[in-house]
Amino acid sequence: MNYIGIDIGSTASKVSVFKDDDLKLNIVMPTGWNSVDTSNKIKEELVKKGIDVEKSKVIATGYGRVSVPYAHKTITEITCHGKGAYYLAQEDLTVIDIGGQDTKIITVEDGNVSNFTMNDKCAAGTGRFMELMANTLNVSIDEMAQMALKGRNINITSMCTVFAESEVISLIGSGANREDIARGVVNSIIGRIKSLLNKHGVKGSLYLTGGLCELEPFIQLLSEEIGSEVKTGPLGRYAGSIGGALLAKNIEI
Amino acid sequence: MGDYKKMWQDPNMDIEKHDILCAALPEQFGDIYLTQKNRPDAMNYFNYVVAEIHGARIMELEKYKKEGGSVVGTFCVFVPDEVILATKAIGVGLCSGSQFWIEDGEKVLPRNICPLVKAFAGAKIGLTCPYFQSCDMIVGETTCDAKKKAWEIMDEYMPVHVMELPQMKREKNIKEWEDEIKIFINRMEELTGNKVTVESLKKGIDVCNRKRRALKRLYDLRKNIPSPISGLDALLVSQVAFSDDPERFIEKTEELCDELEERVKELKPNGKKRIMVTGTPMALPNWKLHSIVEGLNAEIVVEETCTGTRYFENEVSTEGDTIDELVRNMAERYMDINCACFTPNEGRTEDIVKYAEEYNIDGVIYYNLSFCHTYAIEYEKIEKVLKEKDIPLLKIETDYSEEDTGQIKTRVEAFLEMI
Ligand code: SF4
Ligand code: SF4
């Protein structure tokens, strides 16, 4: 039997497929404008790869979870990320999930979510913020993280994305070192995450999930600033869909 | 709703703008309330009250005023209704639970204060609330800074009487509140021309106590697993309690309870998570959190709020043969309300822990209107105690706008998955 987790995020959609106990397949694609279209595309993609969606158990998660007509159940991304990260790390942990439009801190104890904090209503400290600032600096997110590693921090004082953007523009205008600005941007995101972590409390090791999980320089700076190692892995971005697929095992259809 | 426009040929109403509100309310009510399955029949009365909220009840108030009676508006559960009744006035709790009034409120108040305060100011200065227009006077209190200072602005638009609520609960503070009640009695006597007597005050106390008892009976029924009434419906009853005719309200609520008592006999557990809401008040028509929670696999079975237990817990004793004694009894009862405006306010934590047990709660949602500092700060204390007791807790800070509905839904859903 196949178990499928589909995580329709605000920017990227992720799919993971388990055949019995083995993780067989992971797919990522942009969510685009229409989540229903995306979920249909996912279905086609799965069929192409020889997976009979009709005969599988499917769980949808993420902010577009209600737009997957063939899902048997929806579960929030918080529960799925907790499950998925636990599967990846194989131990109790505190998950830092940096998503496209929100950032979450999730505590996993005995393999289950025991507490969570979400920063919402505001793009500060999210993947979207990274993206916007990289655009303003006219580089990719990867390049910006690389630059940040070499720069010396300039304080970006605004919490609000819109104001932070104009701050960055005027820094560029005043001829400030671009590496320093990049460092300032990355630090401002990390600062936001740090304050969420402080409020929430840390139990076990720290694990990063979401689209930034392969961004080496970012993880390095994050670990430095927090003062303890943040683990992650190439599958970190699939934590939500992996968790969803694992949870699909338990549902009755 | 009937056509009451003529009644509002009153220069004091912005009829056109009010029409927008009148058009939106039934739709919202229909979506949230009338779609619920298997509602108690006795809820029909409360549906009717909402349908006629800007109709029949207003007519009653207008008629009463024509006959020489007075109407006063209140905003907080500390204002002693007993006194209002004893001077033969009608008291109406003014609803300030809609986004509709925020824009007008922000014309005179800063944006970063509690939506409840902005809404009541907006309803008055935008001339879009017929209740406000019916009031001969409003009664404020000094509970929080936002309200305390807003009265000064309201005073430019209509007569305001402000009661100074002490912020601690020592004997000296209870005495201060006694004094405030006496001053309020004088003011009400002046306004209405009716003297408060031992007899009329006792009668007022009796009506208020019976109203409290009816609500308590309703809440006790919700302790059943599953609750025989949805949280949405129970909230509506609490909200209506503030503006309806007290005797009629008591009668209708008792009828509802009779029906629920029958229901309880047949109900079987439904597997829904049992949720307590604690925090700031939900004035009519604020049904936001309840509709989100009950749209998921959960039921709200108790509200530790001013539109919940704080409104009806504890009665005023009728022991005593003088006005002074009765005022003392009232002061004692009111100063026993555990609002976050007091320091310290340990009673509230005790209440929450007690209700969690009595109502068999699976999780608590801390409802905090944006910018209500006293409740926001008190969260810390409550979080600590609930953690010790292993009671799951989720904090939701929000205002009346709809834009964060999706996010709140995700958080509540994740919370339900977790507990
Ligand atoms: S929360 Fe406090 S101030 Fe607000 S209505 Fe209730 S008792 Fe009054
Ligand atoms: S909810 Fe809080 S800020 Fe708003 S009026 Fe009541 S006490 Fe004041």
Side-chain angles (χ1 to χ4, degrees), chain B residues 267-293:
Chain B
L267 286 173
K268 303 215 161 48
N270 57 11
K272 286 191 179 175
K273 298 267 162 64
R274 296 171 64 81
I275 302 297
M276 167 179 0
V277 169
T278 176
T280 48
M282 295 170 170
L284 207 74
N286 178 6
W287 304 306
K288 183 172 165 179
L289 182 67
H290 279 59
S291 68
I292 291 174
V293 173

PDB file of all heavy atoms in Angstrom, chain B residues 267-293:
ATOM      1  N   LEU B 267     -28.811  12.115  25.004  1.00  0.00           N
ATOM      2  CA  LEU B 267     -27.552  12.338  24.287  1.00  0.00           C
ATOM      3  C   LEU B 267     -26.496  11.292  24.621  1.00  0.00           C
ATOM      4  O   LEU B 267     -26.378  10.843  25.751  1.00  0.00           O
ATOM      5  CB  LEU B 267     -27.000  13.721  24.620  1.00  0.00           C
ATOM      6  CG  LEU B 267     -27.733  14.889  23.976  1.00  0.00           C
ATOM      7  CD1 LEU B 267     -27.197  16.198  24.527  1.00  0.00           C
ATOM      8  CD2 LEU B 267     -27.564  14.852  22.462  1.00  0.00           C
ATOM      9  N   LYS B 268     -25.737  10.936  23.582  1.00  0.00           N
ATOM     10  CA  LYS B 268     -24.612  10.016  23.785  1.00  0.00           C
ATOM     11  C   LYS B 268     -23.325  10.760  23.454  1.00  0.00           C
ATOM     12  O   LYS B 268     -23.334  11.647  22.598  1.00  0.00           O
ATOM     13  CB  LYS B 268     -24.755   8.813  22.852  1.00  0.00           C
ATOM     14  CG  LYS B 268     -26.061   8.093  23.050  1.00  0.00           C
ATOM     15  CD  LYS B 268     -25.961   6.596  22.868  1.00  0.00           C
ATOM     16  CE  LYS B 268     -27.155   5.913  23.516  1.00  0.00           C
ATOM     17  NZ  LYS B 268     -28.462   6.517  23.160  1.00  0.00           N
ATOM     18  N   PRO B 269     -22.228  10.391  24.100  1.00  0.00           N
ATOM     19  CA  PRO B 269     -20.954  11.076  23.831  1.00  0.00           C
ATOM     20  C   PRO B 269     -20.667  11.154  22.325  1.00  0.00           C
ATOM     21  O   PRO B 269     -20.921  10.209  21.585  1.00  0.00           O
ATOM     22  CB  PRO B 269     -19.927  10.185  24.530  1.00  0.00           C
ATOM     23  CG  PRO B 269     -20.683   9.540  25.631  1.00  0.00           C
ATOM     24  CD  PRO B 269     -22.091   9.362  25.136  1.00  0.00           C
ATOM     25  N   ASN B 270     -20.167  12.327  21.878  1.00  0.00           N
ATOM     26  CA  ASN B 270     -19.965  12.527  20.436  1.00  0.00           C
ATOM     27  C   ASN B 270     -18.492  12.621  20.053  1.00  0.00           C
ATOM     28  O   ASN B 270     -18.155  12.907  18.915  1.00  0.00           O
ATOM     29  CB  ASN B 270     -20.711  13.781  19.975  1.00  0.00           C
ATOM     30  CG  ASN B 270     -20.258  15.013  20.751  1.00  0.00           C
ATOM     31  OD1 ASN B 270     -19.268  14.977  21.479  1.00  0.00           O
ATOM     32  ND2 ASN B 270     -20.975  16.107  20.594  1.00  0.00           N
ATOM     33  N   GLY B 271     -17.615  12.429  21.027  1.00  0.00           N
ATOM     34  CA  GLY B 271     -16.181  12.434  20.723  1.00  0.00           C
ATOM     35  C   GLY B 271     -15.591  13.808  20.466  1.00  0.00           C
ATOM     36  O   GLY B 271     -14.423  13.932  20.152  1.00  0.00           O
ATOM     37  N   LYS B 272     -16.407  14.851  20.599  1.00  0.00           N
ATOM     38  CA  LYS B 272     -15.859  16.185  20.349  1.00  0.00           C
ATOM     39  C   LYS B 272     -15.001  16.640  21.528  1.00  0.00           C
ATOM     40  O   LYS B 272     -15.328  16.372  22.682  1.00  0.00           O
ATOM     41  CB  LYS B 272     -16.995  17.179  20.141  1.00  0.00           C
ATOM     42  CG  LYS B 272     -17.671  17.020  18.802  1.00  0.00           C
ATOM     43  CD  LYS B 272     -18.586  18.190  18.545  1.00  0.00           C
ATOM     44  CE  LYS B 272     -19.240  18.030  17.178  1.00  0.00           C
ATOM     45  NZ  LYS B 272     -20.225  19.063  16.918  1.00  0.00           N
ATOM     46  N   LYS B 273     -13.938  17.380  21.202  1.00  0.00           N
ATOM     47  CA  LYS B 273     -13.082  17.928  22.243  1.00  0.00           C
ATOM     48  C   LYS B 273     -13.841  19.034  22.973  1.00  0.00           C
ATOM     49  O   LYS B 273     -14.524  19.843  22.358  1.00  0.00           O
ATOM     50  CB  LYS B 273     -11.804  18.495  21.624  1.00  0.00           C
ATOM     51  CG  LYS B 273     -10.969  17.447  20.902  1.00  0.00           C
ATOM     52  CD  LYS B 273      -9.915  16.849  21.810  1.00  0.00           C
ATOM     53  CE  LYS B 273      -9.354  15.541  21.307  1.00  0.00           C
ATOM     54  NZ  LYS B 273      -8.632  15.624  20.052  1.00  0.00           N
ATOM     55  N   ARG B 274     -13.692  19.045  24.296  1.00  0.00           N
ATOM     56  CA  ARG B 274     -14.408  20.033  25.114  1.00  0.00           C
ATOM     57  C   ARG B 274     -13.488  21.202  25.445  1.00  0.00           C
ATOM     58  O   ARG B 274     -12.448  21.036  26.054  1.00  0.00           O
ATOM     59  CB  ARG B 274     -14.930  19.373  26.386  1.00  0.00           C
ATOM     60  CG  ARG B 274     -15.969  18.290  26.094  1.00  0.00           C
ATOM     61  CD  ARG B 274     -16.315  17.504  27.329  1.00  0.00           C
ATOM     62  NE  ARG B 274     -16.961  18.296  28.373  1.00  0.00           N
ATOM     63  CZ  ARG B 274     -18.255  18.603  28.386  1.00  0.00           C
ATOM     64  NH1 ARG B 274     -19.046  18.189  27.415  1.00  0.00           N
ATOM     65  NH2 ARG B 274     -18.768  19.313  29.368  1.00  0.00           N
ATOM     66  N   ILE B 275     -13.905  22.379  25.016  1.00  0.00           N
ATOM     67  CA  ILE B 275     -13.035  23.551  25.107  1.00  0.00           C
ATOM     68  C   ILE B 275     -13.610  24.601  26.065  1.00  0.00           C
ATOM     69  O   ILE B 275     -14.808  24.863  26.059  1.00  0.00           O
ATOM     70  CB  ILE B 275     -12.864  24.199  23.709  1.00  0.00           C
ATOM     71  CG1 ILE B 275     -12.286  23.187  22.711  1.00  0.00           C
ATOM     72  CG2 ILE B 275     -12.007  25.460  23.772  1.00  0.00           C
ATOM     73  CD1 ILE B 275     -10.899  22.688  23.038  1.00  0.00           C
ATOM     74  N   MET B 276     -12.718  25.182  26.870  1.00  0.00           N
ATOM     75  CA  MET B 276     -13.092  26.360  27.660  1.00  0.00           C
ATOM     76  C   MET B 276     -12.474  27.590  26.994  1.00  0.00           C
ATOM     77  O   MET B 276     -11.328  27.549  26.578  1.00  0.00           O
ATOM     78  CB  MET B 276     -12.560  26.253  29.090  1.00  0.00           C
ATOM     79  CG  MET B 276     -12.662  27.564  29.835  1.00  0.00           C
ATOM     80  SD  MET B 276     -12.110  27.672  31.581  1.00  0.00           S
ATOM     81  CE  MET B 276     -11.541  26.113  32.039  1.00  0.00           C
ATOM     82  N   VAL B 277     -13.243  28.662  26.885  1.00  0.00           N
ATOM     83  CA  VAL B 277     -12.690  29.923  26.419  1.00  0.00           C
ATOM     84  C   VAL B 277     -12.537  30.824  27.634  1.00  0.00           C
ATOM     85  O   VAL B 277     -13.442  30.914  28.463  1.00  0.00           O
ATOM     86  CB  VAL B 277     -13.611  30.594  25.372  1.00  0.00           C
ATOM     87  CG1 VAL B 277     -13.163  32.016  25.089  1.00  0.00           C
ATOM     88  CG2 VAL B 277     -13.636  29.776  24.087  1.00  0.00           C
ATOM     89  N   THR B 278     -11.378  31.462  27.755  1.00  0.00           N
ATOM     90  CA  THR B 278     -11.190  32.378  28.863  1.00  0.00           C
ATOM     91  C   THR B 278     -10.614  33.675  28.322  1.00  0.00           C
ATOM     92  O   THR B 278      -9.884  33.662  27.334  1.00  0.00           O
ATOM     93  CB  THR B 278     -10.254  31.790  29.935  1.00  0.00           C
ATOM     94  OG1 THR B 278     -10.043  32.774  30.943  1.00  0.00           O
ATOM     95  CG2 THR B 278      -8.897  31.388  29.366  1.00  0.00           C
ATOM     96  N   GLY B 279     -10.964  34.795  28.933  1.00  0.00           N
ATOM     97  CA  GLY B 279     -10.362  36.054  28.491  1.00  0.00           C
ATOM     98  C   GLY B 279     -11.332  37.206  28.396  1.00  0.00           C
ATOM     99  O   GLY B 279     -12.179  37.390  29.263  1.00  0.00           O
ATOM    100  N   THR B 280     -11.195  37.960  27.318  1.00  0.00           N
ATOM    101  CA  THR B 280     -11.937  39.208  27.169  1.00  0.00           C
ATOM    102  C   THR B 280     -13.360  38.953  26.643  1.00  0.00           C
ATOM    103  O   THR B 280     -13.618  37.919  26.049  1.00  0.00           O
ATOM    104  CB  THR B 280     -11.186  40.129  26.191  1.00  0.00           C
ATOM    105  OG1 THR B 280     -10.832  39.368  25.038  1.00  0.00           O
ATOM    106  CG2 THR B 280      -9.929  40.676  26.821  1.00  0.00           C
ATOM    107  N   PRO B 281     -14.245  39.918  26.877  1.00  0.00           N
ATOM    108  CA  PRO B 281     -15.643  39.710  26.507  1.00  0.00           C
ATOM    109  C   PRO B 281     -15.870  39.593  24.998  1.00  0.00           C
ATOM    110  O   PRO B 281     -15.077  40.072  24.197  1.00  0.00           O
ATOM    111  CB  PRO B 281     -16.349  40.953  27.053  1.00  0.00           C
ATOM    112  CG  PRO B 281     -15.311  41.911  27.452  1.00  0.00           C
ATOM    113  CD  PRO B 281     -14.027  41.196  27.573  1.00  0.00           C
ATOM    114  N   MET B 282     -16.973  38.950  24.632  1.00  0.00           N
ATOM    115  CA  MET B 282     -17.385  38.859  23.232  1.00  0.00           C
ATOM    116  C   MET B 282     -18.736  39.531  23.120  1.00  0.00           C
ATOM    117  O   MET B 282     -19.771  38.928  23.392  1.00  0.00           O
ATOM    118  CB  MET B 282     -17.508  37.394  22.831  1.00  0.00           C
ATOM    119  CG  MET B 282     -16.166  36.686  22.868  1.00  0.00           C
ATOM    120  SD  MET B 282     -16.394  34.932  22.679  1.00  0.00           S
ATOM    121  CE  MET B 282     -14.705  34.398  22.454  1.00  0.00           C
ATOM    122  N   ALA B 283     -18.710  40.798  22.747  1.00  0.00           N
ATOM    123  CA  ALA B 283     -19.957  41.541  22.656  1.00  0.00           C
ATOM    124  C   ALA B 283     -20.659  41.189  21.345  1.00  0.00           C
ATOM    125  O   ALA B 283     -20.015  40.843  20.364  1.00  0.00           O
ATOM    126  CB  ALA B 283     -19.661  43.038  22.714  1.00  0.00           C
ATOM    127  N   LEU B 284     -21.951  41.268  21.347  1.00  0.00           N
ATOM    128  CA  LEU B 284     -22.741  41.031  20.147  1.00  0.00           C
ATOM    129  C   LEU B 284     -22.247  41.959  19.024  1.00  0.00           C
ATOM    130  O   LEU B 284     -22.005  43.130  19.296  1.00  0.00           O
ATOM    131  CB  LEU B 284     -24.212  41.330  20.488  1.00  0.00           C
ATOM    132  CG  LEU B 284     -25.288  40.619  19.698  1.00  0.00           C
ATOM    133  CD1 LEU B 284     -25.360  39.163  20.133  1.00  0.00           C
ATOM    134  CD2 LEU B 284     -26.613  41.299  19.932  1.00  0.00           C
ATOM    135  N   PRO B 285     -22.118  41.538  17.817  1.00  0.00           N
ATOM    136  CA  PRO B 285     -22.252  40.188  17.258  1.00  0.00           C
ATOM    137  C   PRO B 285     -20.890  39.510  17.034  1.00  0.00           C
ATOM    138  O   PRO B 285     -20.601  39.068  15.943  1.00  0.00           O
ATOM    139  CB  PRO B 285     -22.923  40.463  15.921  1.00  0.00           C
ATOM    140  CG  PRO B 285     -22.318  41.791  15.485  1.00  0.00           C
ATOM    141  CD  PRO B 285     -21.891  42.521  16.737  1.00  0.00           C
ATOM    142  N   ASN B 286     -20.067  39.459  18.037  1.00  0.00           N
ATOM    143  CA  ASN B 286     -18.753  38.838  17.896  1.00  0.00           C
ATOM    144  C   ASN B 286     -18.868  37.332  18.133  1.00  0.00           C
ATOM    145  O   ASN B 286     -18.895  36.881  19.267  1.00  0.00           O
ATOM    146  CB  ASN B 286     -17.781  39.495  18.891  1.00  0.00           C
ATOM    147  CG  ASN B 286     -16.400  38.874  18.848  1.00  0.00           C
ATOM    148  OD1 ASN B 286     -16.115  38.016  18.004  1.00  0.00           O
ATOM    149  ND2 ASN B 286     -15.546  39.293  19.758  1.00  0.00           N
ATOM    150  N   TRP B 287     -18.941  36.581  17.063  1.00  0.00           N
ATOM    151  CA  TRP B 287     -19.051  35.121  17.147  1.00  0.00           C
ATOM    152  C   TRP B 287     -17.847  34.452  16.505  1.00  0.00           C
ATOM    153  O   TRP B 287     -17.873  33.270  16.173  1.00  0.00           O
ATOM    154  CB  TRP B 287     -20.334  34.649  16.440  1.00  0.00           C
ATOM    155  CG  TRP B 287     -21.575  35.302  16.961  1.00  0.00           C
ATOM    156  CD1 TRP B 287     -21.974  35.339  18.265  1.00  0.00           C
ATOM    157  CD2 TRP B 287     -22.589  36.001  16.222  1.00  0.00           C
ATOM    158  NE1 TRP B 287     -23.162  36.025  18.384  1.00  0.00           N
ATOM    159  CE2 TRP B 287     -23.564  36.436  17.137  1.00  0.00           C
ATOM    160  CE3 TRP B 287     -22.768  36.299  14.868  1.00  0.00           C
ATOM    161  CZ2 TRP B 287     -24.699  37.154  16.754  1.00  0.00           C
ATOM    162  CZ3 TRP B 287     -23.895  37.015  14.483  1.00  0.00           C
ATOM    163  CH2 TRP B 287     -24.845  37.431  15.413  1.00  0.00           C
ATOM    164  N   LYS B 288     -16.815  35.250  16.292  1.00  0.00           N
ATOM    165  CA  LYS B 288     -15.680  34.812  15.481  1.00  0.00           C
ATOM    166  C   LYS B 288     -15.019  33.541  15.990  1.00  0.00           C
ATOM    167  O   LYS B 288     -14.926  32.543  15.283  1.00  0.00           O
ATOM    168  CB  LYS B 288     -14.675  35.968  15.425  1.00  0.00           C
ATOM    169  CG  LYS B 288     -13.466  35.738  14.565  1.00  0.00           C
ATOM    170  CD  LYS B 288     -12.689  37.058  14.459  1.00  0.00           C
ATOM    171  CE  LYS B 288     -11.298  36.844  13.923  1.00  0.00           C
ATOM    172  NZ  LYS B 288     -10.579  38.124  13.805  1.00  0.00           N
ATOM    173  N   LEU B 289     -14.569  33.558  17.227  1.00  0.00           N
ATOM    174  CA  LEU B 289     -13.826  32.400  17.734  1.00  0.00           C
ATOM    175  C   LEU B 289     -14.724  31.170  17.851  1.00  0.00           C
ATOM    176  O   LEU B 289     -14.350  30.068  17.468  1.00  0.00           O
ATOM    177  CB  LEU B 289     -13.199  32.723  19.099  1.00  0.00           C
ATOM    178  CG  LEU B 289     -12.375  31.581  19.678  1.00  0.00           C
ATOM    179  CD1 LEU B 289     -11.132  31.320  18.828  1.00  0.00           C
ATOM    180  CD2 LEU B 289     -11.954  31.867  21.120  1.00  0.00           C
ATOM    181  N   HIS B 290     -15.919  31.385  18.365  1.00  0.00           N
ATOM    182  CA  HIS B 290     -16.838  30.250  18.528  1.00  0.00           C
ATOM    183  C   HIS B 290     -17.136  29.575  17.197  1.00  0.00           C
ATOM    184  O   HIS B 290     -17.202  28.362  17.109  1.00  0.00           O
ATOM    185  CB  HIS B 290     -18.145  30.698  19.197  1.00  0.00           C
ATOM    186  CG  HIS B 290     -18.035  30.823  20.685  1.00  0.00           C
ATOM    187  ND1 HIS B 290     -17.137  31.663  21.289  1.00  0.00           N
ATOM    188  CD2 HIS B 290     -18.690  30.206  21.699  1.00  0.00           C
ATOM    189  CE1 HIS B 290     -17.265  31.561  22.605  1.00  0.00           C
ATOM    190  NE2 HIS B 290     -18.202  30.681  22.882  1.00  0.00           N
ATOM    191  N   SER B 291     -17.327  30.378  16.152  1.00  0.00           N
ATOM    192  CA  SER B 291     -17.682  29.737  14.888  1.00  0.00           C
ATOM    193  C   SER B 291     -16.472  29.005  14.312  1.00  0.00           C
ATOM    194  O   SER B 291     -16.633  27.963  13.680  1.00  0.00           O
ATOM    195  CB  SER B 291     -18.302  30.723  13.903  1.00  0.00           C
ATOM    196  OG  SER B 291     -17.356  31.651  13.481  1.00  0.00           O
ATOM    197  N   ILE B 292     -15.283  29.499  14.549  1.00  0.00           N
ATOM    198  CA  ILE B 292     -14.095  28.774  14.078  1.00  0.00           C
ATOM    199  C   ILE B 292     -13.966  27.449  14.837  1.00  0.00           C
ATOM    200  O   ILE B 292     -13.823  26.386  14.241  1.00  0.00           O
ATOM    201  CB  ILE B 292     -12.811  29.617  14.269  1.00  0.00           C
ATOM    202  CG1 ILE B 292     -12.823  30.816  13.325  1.00  0.00           C
ATOM    203  CG2 ILE B 292     -11.561  28.769  14.030  1.00  0.00           C
ATOM    204  CD1 ILE B 292     -11.687  31.798  13.531  1.00  0.00           C
ATOM    205  N   VAL B 293     -14.040  27.506  16.150  1.00  0.00           N
ATOM    206  CA  VAL B 293     -13.830  26.299  16.956  1.00  0.00           C
ATOM    207  C   VAL B 293     -14.905  25.260  16.665  1.00  0.00           C
ATOM    208  O   VAL B 293     -14.612  24.081  16.455  1.00  0.00           O
ATOM    209  CB  VAL B 293     -13.820  26.646  18.461  1.00  0.00           C
ATOM    210  CG1 VAL B 293     -13.775  25.384  19.308  1.00  0.00           C
ATOM    211  CG2 VAL B 293     -12.635  27.546  18.796  1.00  0.00           C
TER     212      VAL B 293
END
